[in-house]
Coordinates of all heavy atoms in Angstrom, one line a residue:
M1375 N 36.7 -156.8 -11.2 CA 37.0 -157.8 -12.3 C 35.7 -158.5 -12.7 O 35.5 -158.7 -13.9 CB 38.0 -158.8 -11.8 CG 38.5 -159.7 -12.9 SD 39.2 -158.9 -14.3 CE 40.8 -159.5 -14.2
I1376 N 34.9 -158.9 -11.8 CA 33.6 -159.6 -12.1 C 32.7 -158.7 -12.8 O 32.0 -159.1 -13.8 CB 33.0 -160.1 -10.8 CG1 33.9 -161.3 -10.2 CG2 31.6 -160.7 -11.1 CD1 33.5 -161.8 -8.9
A1377 N 32.6 -157.4 -12.4 CA 31.7 -156.4 -13.0 C 32.1 -156.2 -14.5 O 31.2 -156.1 -15.4 CB 31.7 -155.1 -12.3
R1378 N 33.4 -156.2 -14.8 CA 33.8 -156.0 -16.2 C 33.4 -157.3 -17.0 O 33.0 -157.1 -18.1 CB 35.3 -155.8 -16.2 CG 35.8 -155.5 -17.6 CD 37.2 -155.1 -17.6 NE 38.1 -156.2 -17.0 CZ 39.4 -156.3 -17.1 NH1 40.0 -155.3 -17.7 NH2 40.0 -157.2 -16.5
D1379 N 33.6 -158.5 -16.4 CA 33.2 -159.7 -17.1 C 31.7 -159.7 -17.4 O 31.3 -160.1 -18.5 CB 33.6 -160.9 -16.3 CG 33.3 -162.2 -17.1 OD1 33.7 -162.3 -18.3 OD2 32.7 -163.1 -16.5
V1380 N 30.9 -159.2 -16.5 CA 29.5 -159.2 -16.6 C 29.1 -158.2 -17.7 O 28.2 -158.5 -18.6 CB 28.8 -158.8 -15.3 CG1 27.3 -158.5 -15.5 CG2 28.9 -160.0 -14.3
R1381 N 29.7 -157.0 -17.8 CA 29.5 -156.0 -18.8 C 29.9 -156.6 -20.2 O 29.2 -156.4 -21.1 CB 30.2 -154.7 -18.5 CG 29.6 -153.9 -17.4 CD 30.2 -152.5 -17.4 NE 31.7 -152.5 -17.3 CZ 32.3 -152.3 -16.2 NH1 31.7 -152.1 -15.0 NH2 33.6 -152.4 -16.2
H1382 N 31.0 -157.3 -20.2 CA 31.5 -157.9 -21.5 C 30.4 -158.9 -22.0 O 30.1 -158.9 -23.2 CB 32.8 -158.5 -21.3 CG 33.4 -159.2 -22.5 ND1 33.8 -158.4 -23.6 CD2 33.5 -160.5 -22.9 CE1 34.2 -159.2 -24.5 NE2 34.1 -160.5 -24.1
R1383 N 30.0 -159.8 -21.1 CA 29.0 -160.8 -21.5 C 27.6 -160.1 -21.9 O 27.0 -160.5 -22.9 CB 28.7 -161.8 -20.4 CG 29.9 -162.7 -20.2 CD 29.6 -163.7 -19.1 NE 30.8 -164.5 -18.9 CZ 30.8 -165.7 -18.4 NH1 29.7 -166.2 -18.1 NH2 31.9 -166.3 -18.2
A1384 N 27.3 -159.1 -21.2 CA 26.0 -158.4 -21.5 C 26.1 -157.7 -22.9 O 25.2 -157.7 -23.7 CB 25.7 -157.3 -20.4
R1385 N 27.3 -157.1 -23.2 CA 27.5 -156.5 -24.5 C 27.4 -157.5 -25.6 O 26.7 -157.3 -26.6 CB 28.9 -155.8 -24.5 CG 29.1 -155.0 -25.8 CD 30.4 -154.3 -25.8 NE 30.5 -153.4 -24.7 CZ 31.5 -153.3 -23.8 NH1 32.6 -154.0 -24.0 NH2 31.5 -152.4 -22.8
W1386 N 28.0 -158.7 -25.5 CA 27.9 -159.7 -26.5 C 26.5 -160.2 -26.6 O 26.0 -160.5 -27.7 CB 28.9 -160.9 -26.2 CG 30.2 -160.6 -26.8 CD1 31.4 -160.3 -26.1 CD2 30.6 -160.5 -28.1 NE1 32.4 -160.0 -26.9 CE2 31.9 -160.2 -28.2 CE3 29.9 -160.7 -29.3 CZ2 32.6 -160.0 -29.4 CZ3 30.6 -160.6 -30.5 CH2 31.9 -160.2 -30.5
A1387 N 25.8 -160.4 -25.5 CA 24.4 -160.8 -25.6 C 23.6 -159.8 -26.3 O 22.7 -160.2 -27.1 CB 23.9 -161.0 -24.2
A1388 N 23.8 -158.5 -26.1 CA 23.1 -157.5 -26.8 C 23.4 -157.5 -28.3 O 22.4 -157.3 -29.1 CB 23.4 -156.1 -26.2
I1389 N 24.6 -157.7 -28.7 CA 25.0 -157.8 -30.1 C 24.3 -159.0 -30.7 O 23.7 -158.9 -31.8 CB 26.5 -157.9 -30.3 CG1 27.1 -156.6 -29.9 CG2 26.9 -158.3 -31.7 CD1 28.6 -156.6 -29.8
C1390 N 24.3 -160.2 -30.1 CA 23.7 -161.4 -30.6 C 22.2 -161.2 -30.7 O 21.6 -161.6 -31.7 CB 24.0 -162.6 -29.8 SG 25.7 -163.1 -29.8
F1391 N 21.6 -160.5 -29.8 CA 20.1 -160.3 -29.8 C 19.8 -159.3 -30.9 O 18.8 -159.5 -31.7 CB 19.7 -159.7 -28.5 CG 18.2 -159.5 -28.4 CD1 17.3 -160.6 -28.3 CD2 17.7 -158.2 -28.4 CE1 16.0 -160.4 -28.2 CE2 16.3 -158.0 -28.3 CZ 15.5 -159.1 -28.2
T1392 N 20.6 -158.3 -31.1 CA 20.4 -157.4 -32.2 C 20.5 -158.1 -33.6 O 19.6 -157.9 -34.5 CB 21.4 -156.2 -32.2 OG1 21.3 -155.6 -30.9 CG2 21.2 -155.2 -33.3
V1393 N 21.4 -159.0 -33.7 CA 21.6 -159.7 -35.0 C 20.3 -160.6 -35.2 O 19.8 -160.6 -36.3 CB 22.8 -160.6 -35.0 CG1 22.8 -161.6 -36.1 CG2 24.1 -159.8 -35.0
L1394 N 19.8 -161.2 -34.2 CA 18.6 -162.0 -34.3 C 17.4 -161.1 -34.7 O 16.5 -161.6 -35.5 CB 18.3 -162.8 -33.0 CG 19.3 -163.9 -32.7 CD1 19.0 -164.5 -31.4 CD2 19.2 -165.0 -33.8
L1395 N 17.3 -159.9 -34.1 CA 16.2 -159.0 -34.4 C 16.2 -158.5 -35.9 O 15.2 -158.4 -36.5 CB 16.1 -157.9 -33.5 CG 15.6 -158.2 -32.1 CD1 15.7 -156.9 -31.2 CD2 14.2 -158.7 -32.1
V1396 N 17.4 -158.2 -36.3 CA 17.6 -157.5 -37.6 C 17.5 -158.6 -38.7 O 17.1 -158.2 -39.8 CB 18.9 -156.8 -37.6 CG1 19.3 -156.3 -39.0 CG2 18.9 -155.6 -36.7
T1397 N 17.9 -159.8 -38.5 CA 18.0 -160.8 -39.5 C 16.7 -161.6 -39.5 O 16.4 -162.3 -38.6 CB 19.1 -161.8 -39.3 OG1 20.3 -161.0 -39.1 CG2 19.3 -162.8 -40.4
P1398 N 15.9 -161.5 -40.6 CA 14.6 -162.2 -40.7 C 14.9 -163.7 -40.8 O 15.8 -164.1 -41.5 CB 14.0 -161.7 -41.9 CG 14.7 -160.5 -42.4 CD 16.0 -160.6 -41.7
A1399 N 14.2 -164.5 -40.1 CA 14.5 -166.0 -40.0 C 14.2 -166.6 -41.4 O 14.8 -167.6 -41.8 CB 13.6 -166.6 -39.0
H1400 N 13.2 -166.1 -42.1 CA 12.8 -166.7 -43.4 C 13.7 -166.2 -44.6 O 13.6 -166.8 -45.7 CB 11.4 -166.4 -43.7 CG 11.1 -164.9 -43.9 ND1 11.0 -164.0 -42.9 CD2 11.0 -164.2 -45.1 CE1 10.8 -162.8 -43.4 NE2 10.8 -162.9 -44.7
A1401 N 14.5 -165.2 -44.4 CA 15.2 -164.6 -45.5 C 16.5 -165.4 -45.8 O 17.2 -165.9 -45.0 CB 15.6 -163.2 -45.2
E1402 N 16.7 -165.6 -47.1 CA 18.0 -166.1 -47.6 C 19.0 -165.0 -47.6 O 18.7 -163.9 -47.8 CB 17.8 -166.7 -49.0 CG 16.8 -167.9 -49.0 CD 17.3 -169.1 -48.3 OE1 18.5 -169.4 -48.4 OE2 16.5 -169.8 -47.7
P1403 N 20.3 -165.3 -47.4 CA 21.3 -164.3 -47.5 C 21.3 -163.5 -48.8 O 21.6 -162.4 -48.9 CB 22.6 -165.1 -47.4 CG 22.3 -166.3 -46.7 CD 20.9 -166.6 -47.1
D1404 N 20.9 -164.1 -49.9 CA 20.8 -163.5 -51.2 C 19.8 -162.4 -51.3 O 19.9 -161.5 -52.2 CB 20.6 -164.5 -52.3 CG 21.7 -165.6 -52.4 OD1 22.8 -165.3 -51.9 OD2 21.4 -166.6 -53.0
D1405 N 18.7 -162.5 -50.5 CA 17.7 -161.5 -50.6 C 17.7 -160.4 -49.6 O 16.8 -159.7 -49.4 CB 16.3 -162.2 -50.7 CG 15.8 -162.6 -49.3 OD1 16.7 -162.7 -48.4 OD2 14.6 -162.9 -49.1
R1406 N 18.9 -160.2 -48.9 CA 19.0 -159.1 -48.0 C 20.2 -158.2 -48.5 O 21.1 -158.7 -49.2 CB 19.4 -159.7 -46.6 CG 18.2 -160.4 -46.0 CD 18.5 -160.9 -44.6 NE 19.7 -161.8 -44.7 CZ 20.7 -161.8 -43.8 NH1 20.7 -161.0 -42.8 NH2 21.7 -162.7 -43.9
I1407 N 20.1 -157.0 -48.1 CA 21.1 -156.0 -48.4 C 21.5 -155.2 -47.2 O 20.7 -155.1 -46.2 CB 20.7 -155.1 -49.5 CG1 19.3 -154.4 -49.2 CG2 20.5 -155.8 -50.9 CD1 18.9 -153.3 -50.2
A1408 N 22.7 -154.7 -47.2 CA 23.2 -153.8 -46.1 C 22.6 -152.5 -46.3 O 22.6 -151.9 -47.4 CB 24.7 -153.8 -46.1
A1409 N 22.1 -151.9 -45.2 CA 21.5 -150.5 -45.3 C 21.8 -149.7 -44.1 O 21.9 -150.3 -43.0 CB 20.0 -150.6 -45.5
C1410 N 22.0 -148.4 -44.2 CA 22.4 -147.6 -43.1 C 21.6 -146.3 -43.1 O 21.1 -145.8 -44.1 CB 23.9 -147.2 -43.2 SG 25.0 -148.6 -43.1
D1411 N 21.4 -145.7 -41.9 CA 20.7 -144.5 -41.7 C 21.3 -143.3 -42.4 O 20.6 -142.4 -42.9 CB 20.6 -144.1 -40.2 CG 19.8 -145.1 -39.4 OD1 19.0 -145.9 -40.0 OD2 20.0 -145.2 -38.2
T1412 N 22.7 -143.3 -42.5 CA 23.4 -142.2 -43.1 C 24.3 -142.7 -44.2 O 24.8 -143.8 -44.1 CB 24.2 -141.3 -42.1 OG1 25.2 -142.2 -41.6 CG2 23.3 -140.8 -41.0
L1413 N 24.6 -141.9 -45.1 CA 25.6 -142.2 -46.2 C 27.0 -142.4 -45.6 O 27.7 -143.3 -46.0 CB 25.5 -141.2 -47.3 CG 26.4 -141.4 -48.5 CD1 26.2 -142.8 -49.1 CD2 26.2 -140.3 -49.5
V1414 N 27.3 -141.6 -44.6 CA 28.6 -141.8 -44.0 C 28.7 -143.2 -43.3 O 29.8 -143.9 -43.5 CB 28.8 -140.7 -42.9 CG1 30.1 -140.9 -42.1 CG2 28.9 -139.3 -43.6
S1415 N 27.7 -143.6 -42.6 CA 27.7 -145.0 -42.0 C 27.9 -146.0 -43.1 O 28.6 -147.0 -42.9 CB 26.5 -145.2 -41.2 OG 26.4 -144.4 -40.1
L1416 N 27.2 -145.9 -44.2 CA 27.2 -146.9 -45.3 C 28.6 -146.9 -45.9 O 29.2 -148.0 -46.1 CB 26.2 -146.6 -46.4 CG 26.2 -147.6 -47.5 CD1 25.8 -148.9 -47.1 CD2 25.3 -147.1 -48.7
R1417 N 29.2 -145.7 -46.1 CA 30.6 -145.6 -46.7 C 31.6 -146.3 -45.7 O 32.5 -147.0 -46.2 CB 31.0 -144.2 -47.0 CG 30.2 -143.6 -48.1 CD 30.6 -144.1 -49.4 NE 32.0 -143.6 -49.7 CZ 32.8 -144.2 -50.5 NH1 32.5 -145.3 -51.1 NH2 34.0 -143.7 -50.7
L1418 N 31.5 -146.1 -44.4 CA 32.4 -146.7 -43.5 C 32.2 -148.2 -43.5 O 33.2 -149.0 -43.4 CB 32.2 -146.1 -42.1 CG 32.6 -144.7 -41.8 CD1 32.1 -144.2 -40.5 CD2 34.1 -144.6 -41.9
L1419 N 31.0 -148.7 -43.5 CA 30.7 -150.1 -43.6 C 31.3 -150.7 -44.8 O 32.0 -151.8 -44.8 CB 29.2 -150.3 -43.6 CG 28.7 -151.8 -43.7 CD1 29.1 -152.6 -42.5 CD2 27.2 -151.8 -44.0
T1420 N 31.1 -150.1 -46.0 CA 31.5 -150.7 -47.2 C 33.0 -150.6 -47.5 O 33.6 -151.4 -48.2 CB 30.7 -150.2 -48.5 OG1 30.9 -148.8 -48.5 CG2 29.3 -150.6 -48.4
T1421 N 33.6 -149.6 -46.9 CA 35.1 -149.4 -47.0 C 35.8 -150.5 -46.2 O 36.7 -151.1 -46.6 CB 35.5 -148.0 -46.5 OG1 34.9 -147.0 -47.3 CG2 37.0 -147.8 -46.6
A1422 N 35.3 -150.8 -45.0 CA 35.8 -151.8 -44.1 C 35.5 -153.2 -44.6 O 36.2 -154.1 -44.4 CB 35.3 -151.6 -42.7
N1423 N 34.4 -153.3 -45.4 CA 33.9 -154.6 -45.9 C 33.5 -154.5 -47.3 O 32.3 -154.4 -47.6 CB 32.7 -155.1 -45.1 CG 33.0 -155.2 -43.6 OD1 33.7 -156.0 -43.1 ND2 32.5 -154.2 -42.9
P1424 N 34.5 -154.5 -48.3 CA 34.1 -154.2 -49.7 C 33.3 -155.4 -50.3 O 32.6 -155.1 -51.2 CB 35.5 -154.1 -50.4 CG 36.5 -154.6 -49.4 CD 35.9 -154.6 -48.1
D1425 N 33.5 -156.6 -49.8 CA 32.7 -157.7 -50.3 C 31.2 -157.6 -49.8 O 31.0 -157.3 -48.6 CB 33.3 -159.0 -49.8 CG 32.5 -160.2 -50.2 OD1 32.5 -160.5 -51.4 OD2 32.0 -160.9 -49.3
R1426 N 30.3 -157.8 -50.7 CA 28.9 -157.6 -50.3 C 28.4 -158.5 -49.2 O 27.7 -158.1 -48.3 CB 28.0 -157.9 -51.6 CG 26.6 -157.5 -51.4 CD 25.8 -157.7 -52.7 NE 26.2 -156.7 -53.7 CZ 25.7 -155.4 -53.8 NH1 24.9 -155.0 -52.9 NH2 26.1 -154.6 -54.7
A1427 N 28.9 -159.8 -49.1 CA 28.5 -160.7 -48.1 C 29.1 -160.3 -46.7 O 28.5 -160.3 -45.7 CB 29.0 -162.1 -48.4
A1428 N 30.4 -159.8 -46.8 CA 31.0 -159.3 -45.5 C 30.3 -158.1 -45.0 O 30.2 -157.9 -43.8 CB 32.5 -159.0 -45.8
A1429 N 30.0 -157.2 -45.9 CA 29.2 -156.0 -45.4 C 27.9 -156.3 -44.8 O 27.5 -155.7 -43.8 CB 29.1 -155.0 -46.6
L1430 N 27.2 -157.3 -45.4 CA 25.9 -157.7 -44.9 C 26.1 -158.3 -43.5 O 25.3 -158.0 -42.6 CB 25.3 -158.7 -45.8 CG 23.9 -159.2 -45.5 CD1 22.9 -158.1 -45.4 CD2 23.5 -160.3 -46.5
A1431 N 27.1 -159.1 -43.3 CA 27.4 -159.7 -42.0 C 27.8 -158.7 -41.0 O 27.4 -158.8 -39.8 CB 28.5 -160.8 -42.2
A1432 N 28.5 -157.7 -41.4 CA 29.0 -156.7 -40.4 C 28.0 -155.6 -40.2 O 28.1 -154.8 -39.2 CB 30.3 -156.0 -41.0
A1433 N 26.9 -155.5 -40.9 CA 25.9 -154.4 -40.8 C 25.3 -154.4 -39.4 O 25.1 -153.3 -38.9 CB 24.8 -154.6 -41.9
A1434 N 25.0 -155.5 -38.8 CA 24.3 -155.5 -37.5 C 25.2 -155.0 -36.4 O 24.8 -154.5 -35.4 CB 23.9 -157.0 -37.2
G1435 N 26.5 -155.1 -36.6 CA 27.5 -154.6 -35.6 C 27.8 -153.2 -35.7 O 28.5 -152.6 -34.8
R1436 N 27.4 -152.5 -36.8 CA 27.8 -151.1 -36.9 C 26.5 -150.3 -36.6 O 25.4 -150.5 -37.1 CB 28.1 -150.8 -38.4 CG 28.5 -149.4 -38.6 CD 29.3 -149.2 -39.9 NE 30.6 -149.8 -40.0 CZ 31.7 -149.3 -39.4 NH1 31.7 -148.2 -38.8 NH2 32.8 -150.0 -39.6
P1437 N 26.7 -149.3 -35.7 CA 25.6 -148.4 -35.3 C 25.0 -147.7 -36.5 O 25.6 -147.2 -37.4 CB 26.3 -147.3 -34.4 CG 27.5 -148.0 -34.0 CD 28.0 -148.9 -35.1
G1438 N 23.6 -147.8 -36.6 CA 22.9 -147.2 -37.7 C 22.8 -148.0 -38.9 O 22.2 -147.6 -39.9
C1439 N 23.3 -149.2 -38.9 CA 23.2 -150.1 -40.1 C 22.5 -151.4 -39.7 O 22.4 -151.8 -38.5 CB 24.6 -150.4 -40.6 SG 25.5 -149.0 -41.2
K1440 N 22.0 -152.0 -40.7 CA 21.2 -153.3 -40.5 C 21.1 -154.0 -41.9 O 21.4 -153.4 -42.9 CB 19.9 -153.0 -39.9 CG 19.0 -152.1 -40.8 CD 17.6 -151.9 -40.2 CE 17.8 -150.6 -39.4 NZ 16.5 -150.2 -38.8
A1441 N 20.7 -155.2 -41.8 CA 20.4 -156.0 -43.0 C 18.9 -155.9 -43.2 O 18.1 -156.0 -42.3 CB 20.8 -157.4 -42.8
V1442 N 18.5 -155.6 -44.4 CA 17.0 -155.5 -44.8 C 16.7 -156.4 -46.0 O 17.6 -156.6 -46.8 CB 16.6 -154.0 -45.1 CG1 16.8 -153.1 -43.9 CG2 17.4 -153.5 -46.2
S1443 N 15.5 -156.9 -46.0 CA 15.1 -157.7 -47.1 C 14.8 -156.9 -48.3 O 14.3 -155.8 -48.2 CB 13.8 -158.4 -46.7 OG 13.3 -159.1 -47.8
R1444 N 15.2 -157.4 -49.5 CA 15.0 -156.6 -50.7 C 13.5 -156.4 -51.0 O 13.1 -155.5 -51.6 CB 15.6 -157.4 -51.9 CG 17.1 -157.4 -51.9 CD 17.6 -158.1 -53.2 NE 19.0 -158.2 -53.1 CZ 19.9 -157.4 -53.6 NH1 19.5 -156.2 -54.0 NH2 21.2 -157.6 -53.5
A1445 N 12.7 -157.3 -50.4 CA 11.2 -157.2 -50.6 C 10.7 -156.0 -49.9 O 9.6 -155.5 -50.3 CB 10.6 -158.5 -50.1
D1446 N 11.4 -155.5 -48.8 CA 10.9 -154.4 -48.1 C 11.4 -153.1 -48.6 O 11.0 -152.0 -48.1 CB 11.3 -154.5 -46.6 CG 10.6 -155.7 -45.9 OD1 9.6 -156.1 -46.4 OD2 11.2 -156.1 -44.9
V1447 N 12.2 -153.1 -49.7 CA 12.8 -151.9 -50.2 C 11.9 -151.3 -51.3 O 11.3 -152.0 -52.1 CB 14.2 -152.2 -50.8 CG1 14.8 -151.0 -51.5 CG2 15.1 -152.7 -49.7
G1448 N 11.7 -150.0 -51.2 CA 10.8 -149.3 -52.1 C 11.5 -148.3 -53.1 O 12.6 -148.6 -53.5
A1449 N 10.9 -147.2 -53.3 CA 11.4 -146.2 -54.2 C 12.6 -145.4 -53.7 O 12.8 -145.3 -52.5 CB 10.2 -145.2 -54.5
V1450 N 13.3 -144.8 -54.7 CA 14.4 -144.0 -54.4 C 13.9 -142.6 -53.8 O 13.0 -142.0 -54.4 CB 15.3 -143.8 -55.6 CG1 16.4 -142.8 -55.3 CG2 15.8 -145.1 -56.1
E1451 N 14.5 -142.2 -52.7 CA 14.1 -140.9 -52.2 C 15.2 -139.9 -52.3 O 14.9 -138.7 -52.5 CB 13.7 -141.0 -50.7 CG 12.4 -141.8 -50.5 CD 12.0 -141.8 -49.0 OE1 12.5 -141.0 -48.2 OE2 11.0 -142.5 -48.7
H1452 N 16.5 -140.3 -52.3 CA 17.6 -139.4 -52.5 C 18.7 -140.2 -53.3 O 18.8 -141.4 -53.1 CB 18.2 -139.0 -51.1 CG 17.3 -138.3 -50.2 ND1 16.8 -137.0 -50.5 CD2 16.7 -138.7 -49.1 CE1 16.0 -136.7 -49.5 NE2 15.9 -137.7 -48.7
R1453 N 19.5 -139.4 -54.0 CA 20.6 -140.0 -54.8 C 21.9 -139.1 -54.5 O 21.8 -137.9 -54.3 CB 20.4 -140.0 -56.2 CG 19.4 -141.0 -56.7 CD 19.4 -141.2 -58.2 NE 18.6 -142.4 -58.5 CZ 17.4 -142.3 -59.1 NH1 16.9 -141.1 -59.4 NH2 16.7 -143.4 -59.4
A1454 N 23.0 -139.8 -54.5 CA 24.3 -139.1 -54.4 C 25.4 -139.8 -55.2 O 25.3 -141.0 -55.4 CB 24.7 -139.0 -52.9
M1455 N 26.4 -139.0 -55.7 CA 27.5 -139.6 -56.4 C 28.8 -139.3 -55.6 O 29.0 -138.1 -55.2 CB 27.6 -139.0 -57.8 CG 26.6 -139.4 -58.7 SD 26.7 -141.1 -59.3 CE 28.0 -141.0 -60.5
I1456 N 29.5 -140.3 -55.3 CA 30.8 -140.1 -54.6 C 31.9 -140.9 -55.3 O 31.8 -142.1 -55.5 CB 30.7 -140.6 -53.1 CG1 29.7 -139.9 -52.3 CG2 32.1 -140.5 -52.4 CD1 29.5 -140.3 -50.9
G1457 N 32.9 -140.2 -55.8 CA 33.9 -140.8 -56.6 C 33.4 -141.6 -57.8 O 34.0 -142.6 -58.2
G1458 N 32.4 -141.1 -58.4 CA 31.8 -141.8 -59.6 C 30.9 -142.9 -59.3 O 30.4 -143.5 -60.2
A1459 N 30.8 -143.3 -58.0 CA 29.9 -144.4 -57.6 C 28.5 -143.8 -57.2 O 28.5 -142.9 -56.3 CB 30.5 -145.2 -56.5
P1460 N 27.4 -144.4 -57.7 CA 26.1 -143.9 -57.3 C 25.6 -144.5 -56.0 O 25.9 -145.7 -55.7 CB 25.2 -144.4 -58.4 CG 25.9 -145.6 -58.9 CD 27.4 -145.4 -58.7
F1461 N 25.0 -143.7 -55.2 CA 24.4 -144.2 -53.9 C 23.0 -143.8 -53.9 O 22.6 -142.7 -54.3 CB 25.2 -143.7 -52.7 CG 26.5 -144.2 -52.6 CD1 27.6 -143.6 -53.2 CD2 26.8 -145.4 -51.8 CE1 28.9 -144.1 -53.1 CE2 28.0 -145.9 -51.7 CZ 29.1 -145.3 -52.3
E1462 N 22.1 -144.6 -53.3 CA 20.7 -144.3 -53.2 C 20.1 -144.5 -51.8 O 20.5 -145.5 -51.2 CB 19.9 -145.1 -54.2 CG 20.3 -144.9 -55.6 CD 19.5 -145.7 -56.6 OE1 19.1 -146.8 -56.3 OE2 19.3 -145.2 -57.7
C1463 N 19.3 -143.6 -51.4 CA 18.6 -143.7 -50.1 C 17.2 -144.2 -50.5 O 16.4 -143.4 -51.2 CB 18.5 -142.4 -49.4 SG 18.0 -142.5 -47.7
L1464 N 16.8 -145.4 -50.1 CA 15.6 -146.0 -50.6 C 14.6 -146.1 -49.4 O 15.0 -146.3 -48.3 CB 15.8 -147.4 -51.1 CG 16.8 -147.5 -52.2 CD1 17.1 -149.0 -52.6 CD2 16.4 -146.8 -53.4
A1465 N 13.3 -146.0 -49.7 CA 12.2 -146.2 -48.8 C 12.3 -147.6 -48.4 O 12.4 -148.5 -49.2 CB 10.9 -145.8 -49.4
V1466 N 12.1 -147.9 -47.1 CA 12.1 -149.3 -46.6 C 10.9 -149.4 -45.7 O 10.6 -148.6 -44.8 CB 13.4 -149.6 -45.8 CG1 13.3 -151.0 -45.2 CG2 14.6 -149.4 -46.7
K1467 N 10.1 -150.5 -45.9 CA 8.9 -150.8 -45.2 C 9.2 -150.8 -43.7 O 10.2 -151.5 -43.3 CB 8.3 -152.1 -45.6 CG 6.9 -152.3 -45.0 CD 6.4 -153.7 -45.3 CE 6.4 -154.1 -46.8 NZ 5.9 -155.4 -47.0
G1468 N 8.5 -150.1 -42.9 CA 8.6 -150.1 -41.4 C 9.7 -149.1 -40.9 O 9.8 -149.0 -39.7
E1469 N 10.3 -148.4 -41.8 CA 11.3 -147.4 -41.4 C 10.7 -146.0 -41.5 O 9.9 -145.7 -42.5 CB 12.6 -147.5 -42.2 CG 13.3 -148.8 -42.0 CD 13.9 -148.9 -40.7 OE1 14.3 -147.9 -40.1 OE2 14.0 -150.1 -40.2
S1470 N 11.0 -145.1 -40.6 CA 10.5 -143.7 -40.7 C 11.2 -142.8 -41.7 O 10.6 -141.8 -42.2 CB 10.5 -143.0 -39.3 OG 11.9 -143.0 -38.9
A1471 N 12.4 -143.2 -42.1 CA 13.2 -142.5 -43.1 C 13.8 -143.4 -44.0 O 13.9 -144.6 -43.7 CB 14.2 -141.6 -42.4
C1472 N 14.3 -142.9 -45.2 CA 14.9 -143.8 -46.1 C 16.2 -144.3 -45.6 O 16.8 -143.7 -44.6 CB 15.1 -143.1 -47.5 SG 16.3 -141.7 -47.4
L1473 N 16.7 -145.4 -46.1 CA 18.0 -146.0 -45.7 C 18.9 -146.0 -47.0 O 18.5 -146.3 -48.1 CB 17.8 -147.4 -45.2 CG 17.0 -147.6 -43.9 CD1 16.8 -149.0 -43.6 CD2 17.6 -146.8 -42.8
W1474 N 20.2 -145.7 -46.7 CA 21.2 -145.8 -47.8 C 21.6 -147.2 -48.0 O 21.9 -147.9 -47.0 CB 22.4 -144.9 -47.4 CG 22.0 -143.4 -47.4 CD1 21.6 -142.7 -46.4 CD2 22.0 -142.6 -48.5 NE1 21.3 -141.4 -46.8 CE2 21.6 -141.3 -48.1 CE3 22.4 -142.7 -49.9 CZ2 21.5 -140.2 -49.0 CZ3 22.3 -141.6 -50.7 CH2 21.8 -140.4 -50.3
V1475 N 21.6 -147.7 -49.2 CA 21.9 -149.1 -49.5 C 23.2 -149.2 -50.2 O 23.6 -148.3 -51.0 CB 20.7 -149.8 -50.2 CG1 19.5 -149.8 -49.4 CG2 20.5 -149.2 -51.6
Q1476 N 23.8 -150.4 -50.1 CA 25.0 -150.7 -50.7 C 24.8 -150.8 -52.2 O 23.9 -151.5 -52.7 CB 25.6 -152.0 -50.2 CG 27.0 -152.4 -50.7 CD 27.5 -153.6 -50.1 OE1 26.8 -154.4 -49.4 NE2 28.8 -153.9 -50.2
P1477 N 25.5 -150.1 -53.1 CA 25.3 -150.1 -54.5 C 25.7 -151.5 -55.1 O 26.4 -152.3 -54.6 CB 26.2 -149.0 -55.1 CG 27.2 -148.8 -54.0 CD 26.6 -149.2 -52.7

């Protein structure tokens, strides 16, 4: 029972630490966007959180997703259309591959 409680606390500590790492201290909520490694991850994130602010808040808790500053976003590397909605994979400063961003 104690081991399970320790694992639970460790998991929450890891989630909180990840949120602190991913969220720049100087950034305003308006200048960040939700971004994911894969289009599938982005679609799952935005389907569960259709509101832009909710998706941004949930991004840190979803594997492969994070909040990124708009200032770090660069050129379009890939484009896709799903159900008439455009999606773009954009170059992001400090990332080895482009990230799919919320339209």
Side-chain angles (χ1 to χ4, degrees):
M1375 184 61 116
I1376 293 173
R1378 184 173 57 168
D1379 185 47
V1380 169
R1381 284 193 306 261
H1382 179 72
R1383 288 180 187 209
R1385 185 176 302 132
W1386 274 109
I1389 290 170
C1390 292
F1391 184 72
T1392 302
V1393 169
L1394 289 174
L1395 285 177
V1396 172
T1397 307
H1400 66 280
E1402 294 293 322
D1404 298 340
D1405 76 342
R1406 293 181 300 139
I1407 55 174
C1410 299
D1411 294 338
T1412 65
L1413 183 52
V1414 172
S1415 294
L1416 180 66
R1417 291 287 291 153
L1418 290 171
L1419 175 70
T1420 56
T1421 300
N1423 306 284
D1425 178 65
R1426 191 173 290 279
L1430 183 61
R1436 182 165 295 278
C1439 296
K1440 62 182 90 179
V1442 296
S1443 173
R1444 289 184 190 272
D1446 292 338
V1447 175
V1450 175
E1451 292 188 11
H1452 302 287
R1453 287 194 171 107
M1455 291 286 284
I1456 298 177
F1461 292 90
E1462 296 179 330
C1463 192
L1464 305 175
V1466 177
K1467 187 188 310 180
E1469 297 291 328
S1470 60
C1472 65
L1473 296 176
W1474 291 92
V1475 299
Q1476 187 176 13

